[in-house]
């Protein structure tokens, strides 16, 4: 609007034909960084009668006071002319901005002929700055759900075309692409587009774009930054459970469990569960929950719910201390054992902290007689001493096992009698058998002698008498 008013004012002061036949186009204003270069885009037109005068002898000048005042001041023609005057392109680059002042400049064309003209229809306001302008973020605010694809654009003016600013993202959340774009007024801007997927990790964490401008006069580079704070909505994350008091606690103690979570929007409801193996038992609600813990009821977790979803914490295993439990006695060797044999008794138990002491007792009727200490105990058993038990003790308390009955094998009272008489009985039986055998042998020997005598007698009769054997046998003395 200000440029339009200026143009109308100038046209009203000059002849109408002037505004129609000597038009010029350039940006209304440019911010120039001190120590850097600046390029002024410019184009013009001339009256038809001067078309043949526009040649290579023409030079470009820039005047920084209004020519109507009669006190014109102009810069020398630049050696870094970007445009081609013969093509009516008056784009000019000033590499030494120290020659520029913060004022309005007009373009003047001078040729080695009648073509000499200052284009007063429009000028450019030059503002020399020590600091660069801040880059622009598009969009300027970011409010999305987690998982949404986001595209952020950072744009920074590039008054010096040959040395545009370098753009960097902090943090760099994804791939970015840079371009040097041209505005409608022919000025240029450096742009960087960063694409990423919104995450709960981005919520509340600043995203910045920094423009770094390099100066041509050797002075240090300067930077400008623009940032935004993204608002990302997401279901509960990072759900944790804390316990008070912390550390090991005695069984049946009352504990306070507290569930915490990151969520946007905030958590609407917390629910508590006890983990029993593969089962989940609902036990309460609220961000904090009081519970009595035991050896078998010491694992808990919570669930947090908001409008976008529900998530659960990891299991919390409370370190519960308890007196010895499940106390058992084992015997080696197992099975029936003879009386007066040696056996080894071993006591085992579940306890937290570990058992500090094992004590052994023998049950004699209603009496409990101490017999030793230690996890294992060697004893000699008898029929009257075969019932035993142990006690296990830690700093929390004491527990005892059931009675262990040993299967002791033994003889009744008559076994002692037979054990003393039996050897004598066996000796008597052996003696009797020996006597019978001796008498039998004697009888056998007596029967053998007469037979031998008969054989001798018959032999003699055969030789002397010469009768038949039948007769000798029949006449032999009996």
């Amino acid at each position: 609007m200000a440029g339009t008013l200026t143009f109308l004012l100038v046209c009203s002061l000059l002849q109408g034909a002037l505004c129609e036949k000597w038009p010029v186009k350039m940006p209304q204003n440019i911010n120039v960084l001190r120590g850097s270069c600046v390029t002024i885009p410019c184009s013009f037109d001339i009256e038809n009668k001067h078309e043949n005068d526009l040649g290579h002898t023409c030079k470009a000048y820039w005047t920084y006071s209004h020519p109507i005042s009669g006190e014109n001041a102009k810069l020398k023609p630049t050696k870094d002319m970007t445009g081609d005057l013969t093509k009516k392109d008056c784009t000019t680059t000033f590499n030494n901005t120290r020659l520029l002042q913060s004022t309005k400049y007009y373009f003047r064309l001078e040729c080695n002929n009648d073509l000499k003209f200052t284009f007063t229809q429009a000028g450019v306001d030059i503002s020399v700055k020590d600091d660069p302008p801040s880059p622009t973020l598009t969009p300027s605010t970011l409010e999305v759900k987690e998982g949404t694809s986001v595209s952020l654009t950072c744009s920074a003016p590039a008054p010096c075309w040959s040395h545009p600013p370098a753009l960097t993202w902090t943090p760099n959340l994804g791939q970015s692409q840079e371009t040097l774009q041209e505005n409608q007024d022919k000025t240029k801007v450096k742009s960087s587009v960063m694409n990423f997927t919104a995450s709960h990790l981005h919520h509340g964490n600043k995203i910045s774009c920094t423009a770094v401008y390099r100066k041509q006069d050797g002075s240090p580079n300067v930077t400008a930054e623009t940032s935004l704070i993204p608002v990302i909505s997401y279901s509960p994350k990072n759900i944790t459970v804390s316990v008070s008091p912390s550390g090991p606690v005695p069984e049946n103690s009352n504990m306070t469990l507290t569930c915490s979570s990151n969520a946007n929007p905030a958590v609407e409801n917390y629910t508590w569960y006890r983990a029993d193996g593969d089962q989940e038992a609902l036990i309460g609600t609220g961000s904090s929950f009081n519970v009595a813990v035991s050896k078998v009821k010491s694992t808990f977790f919570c669930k947090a719910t908001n409008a976008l979803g529900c998530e659960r914490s990891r299991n919390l295993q409370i370190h519960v201390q308890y007196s010895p439990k499940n106390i058992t006695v084992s015997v080696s060797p197992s099975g029936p054992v003879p009386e007066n044999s040696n056996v080894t008794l071993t006591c085992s138990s579940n306890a937290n902290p570990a058992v500090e002491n094992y004590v052994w007792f023998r049950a004699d009727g209603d009496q409990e007689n101490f017999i030793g200490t230690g996890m294992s105990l060697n004893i000699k058993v008898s029929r009257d001493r075969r019932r035993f038990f142990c006690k296990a003790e830690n700093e929390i308390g004491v527990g005892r096992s059931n009675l262990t009955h040993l299967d002791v094998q033994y003889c009744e009272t008559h076994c002692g009698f037979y054990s003393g008489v039996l050897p004598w009985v066996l000796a008597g039986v052996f003696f009797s058998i020996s006597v019978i055998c001796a008498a039998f042998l004697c009888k056998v020997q007596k029967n053998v002698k007469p037979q031998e005598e008969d054989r001798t007698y018959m032999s003699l009769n055969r030789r002397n008498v010469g009768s038949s054997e039948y007769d000798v046998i029949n006449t032999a003395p009996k």
Side-chain angles (χ1 to χ4, degrees), residues 290-427:
N290 295 322
V291 63
V293 296
S294 66
K295 175 181 177 294
V296 296
K297 297 180 180 180
S298 59
T299 304
F300 304 90
F301 67 91
C302 71
K303 291 183 179 180
T305 305
N306 71 355
L308 297 180
C310 176
E311 298 291 339
R312 62 160 283 173
S313 69
R314 293 182 178 180
N315 285 350
L316 171 68
Q317 179 70 51
I318 298 177
H319 189 187
V320 179
Q321 294 183 326
Y322 52 91
S323 60
K325 300 181 184 299
N326 304 323
I327 305 170
T328 58
V329 175
S330 60
V331 182
S332 179
S334 60
V337 293
E339 188 175 22
N340 298 320
S341 296
N342 289 322
V343 299
T344 300
L345 304 178
T346 301
C347 190
S348 60
S349 169
N350 294 330
N352 186 28
V355 172
E356 299 173 351
N357 191 28
Y358 290 98
V359 183
W360 291 92
F361 296 87
R362 185 180 67 245
D364 297 330
D366 295 334
Q367 301 297 318
E368 298 179 358
N369 296 316
F370 168 78
I371 58 174
T373 60
M375 187 175 181
S376 296
L377 182 70
N378 295 320
I379 61 170
K380 181 179 288 187
V381 297
S382 67
R383 74 185 75 176
D384 298 325
R385 297 178 178 180
R386 53 183 177 177
R387 298 193 305 163
F388 304 89
F389 67 91
C390 70
K391 291 184 179 180
E393 179 181 6
N394 66 2
E395 64 184 52
I396 304 300
V398 180
R400 63 162 283 173
S401 70
N402 294 327
L403 282 177
T404 297
H405 296 264
L406 300 183
D407 187 4
V408 180
Q409 294 182 329
Y410 57 91
C411 291
E412 297 295 342
T413 305
H414 63 275
C415 290
F417 167 78
Y418 285 117
S419 64
V421 174
L422 184 58
W424 294 102
V425 172
L426 294 176

Side-chain angles (χ1 to χ4, degrees), residues 106 181 377 407 460:
Y106 300 91
Q181 298 175 338
L377 182 70
D407 187 4
L460 290 175

